[in-house]
Amino acid sequence: MASTEPTRLDDDGLDLIFRHARTHNIWLPIPVSQATLREIWNVMKFGPTSANCSPLRIVFVQSPAEKERLVACMDKSNQAKTRIAPVTAILAMDLEFYEKLPRLFPHDQTARSWFAGKPEHIKETALRNSSLQGAYFIVAARALGLDCGPMSGFNEDHLNTAFFADGKFKVNFVCSLGHGDATKVFPRSPRFDFDEACRLI
Ligand SMILES: Cc1cc2nc3c(=O)[nH]c(=O)nc-3n(C[C@H](O)[C@H](O)[C@H](O)COP(=O)(O)O)c2cc1C
């Protein structure tokens, strides 16, 4: 990093990503370009995962027909908000992520063997790291000026059958993207103070 660049985000950056960012349910009719969706991936892909295993796979659902197939998988309370969002991403985990480790973790060619034939270890690692990547996804989308509406209220079996019929990927969560109507958010819910959630030892 050049010496003239800041070594931390300024207050505007922190507000954009965290302090002023809200979860959205009501979406303005402003499209999100495919170039922006690619940019989200090209930023978030640098977030760390264990052994660089990168198990997250994303399906960006934009077409009305595909959106209706997704809406049918959502809980009733999440259906209308999913339908009106310009894009809803399905964030899934590849349960065969370890097959890619010879490429993604090239300096240790034994990494595949840490997982092959160990379904519990595969599942735990895929869930932990795809959830981390899901958080990087939200942070990247916000950093690029989008709002997010993450959701776990859906029928998991129905969604996996509808979008991942070969069984290799399993949904983690779903997240709408776009420009939210800031006038229609609930008052911010409280967060824990540092001393309630953290210990210094
Ligand atoms: C993994 C995850 C799943 C969520 N599932 C739902 C959901 O199914 N339906 C919904 O309306 N909100 C859902 N939410 C939204 C949360 O309730 C919301 O992010 C939280 O209350 C914080 O709101 P804020 O970002 O506006 O402060 C989900 C959020 C996350 C991160």
Side-chain angles (χ1 to χ4, degrees):
M1 185 179 283
S3 60
T4 52
E5 289 183 73
T7 54
R8 53 163 289 165
L9 286 182
D10 61 15
D11 270 343
D12 288 345
L14 295 172
D15 287 346
L16 182 70
I17 295 171
F18 291 109
R19 294 189 297 227
H20 292 176
R22 296 298 312 278
T23 295
H24 284 268
N25 294 309
I26 308 293
W27 301 96
L28 301 172
I30 301 171
V32 177
S33 73
Q34 292 192 358
T36 301
L37 302 179
R38 288 176 183 276
E39 204 178 354
I40 292 172
W41 177 258
N42 284 324
V43 171
M44 61 166 282
K45 70 183 180 184
F46 292 109
T49 53
S50 64
N52 196 32
C53 65
S54 310
L56 188 73
R57 306 289 179 264
I58 305 175
V59 180
F60 290 103
V61 184
Q62 285 184 293
S63 83
E66 293 295 327
K67 194 59 111 42
E68 276 313 307
R69 292 206 309 128
L70 177 57
V71 166
C73 304
M74 303 303 293
D75 289 354
K76 280 261 172 299
S77 62
N78 285 332
Q79 289 186 343
K81 62 182 88 165
T82 301
R83 186 176 285 121
I84 62 166
V87 191
T88 303
I90 303 171
L91 291 97
M93 49 191 154
D94 180 359
L95 294 176
E96 295 183 356
F97 68 85
Y98 54 93
E99 297 291 358
K100 306 289 192 306
L101 287 176
R103 173 180 157 207
L104 295 180
F105 204 58
H107 54 281
D108 190 339
Q109 289 294 315
T110 69
R112 181 185 175 281
S113 70
W114 306 341
F115 299 96
K118 299 172 187 160
E120 282 310 309
H121 192 34
I122 290 169
K123 210 170 143 196
E124 183 186 343
T125 304
L127 181 62
R128 175 179 298 121
N129 288 283
S130 66
S131 300
L132 279 169
Q133 289 186 281
Y136 307 146
F137 170 91
I138 291 173
V139 169
R142 288 173 168 179
L144 294 171
L146 294 177
D147 292 311
C148 296
M151 293 173 279
S152 51
F154 50 79
N155 183 314
E156 198 174 321
D157 289 341
H158 191 169
L159 196 157
N160 283 331
T161 303
F163 289 91
F164 308 118
D166 67 8
K168 288 184 188 164
F169 298 173
K170 298 285 179 203
V171 64
N172 185 324
F173 70 99
V174 164
C175 186
S176 288
L177 294 172
H179 296 87
D181 185 342
T183 67
K184 303 248 170 58
V185 292
F186 294 106
R188 181 76 113 175
S189 299
R191 300 300 206 260
F192 290 124
D193 291 331
F194 182 92
D195 289 332
E196 294 176 283
C198 311
R199 286 197 295 155
L200 293 167
I201 58 172

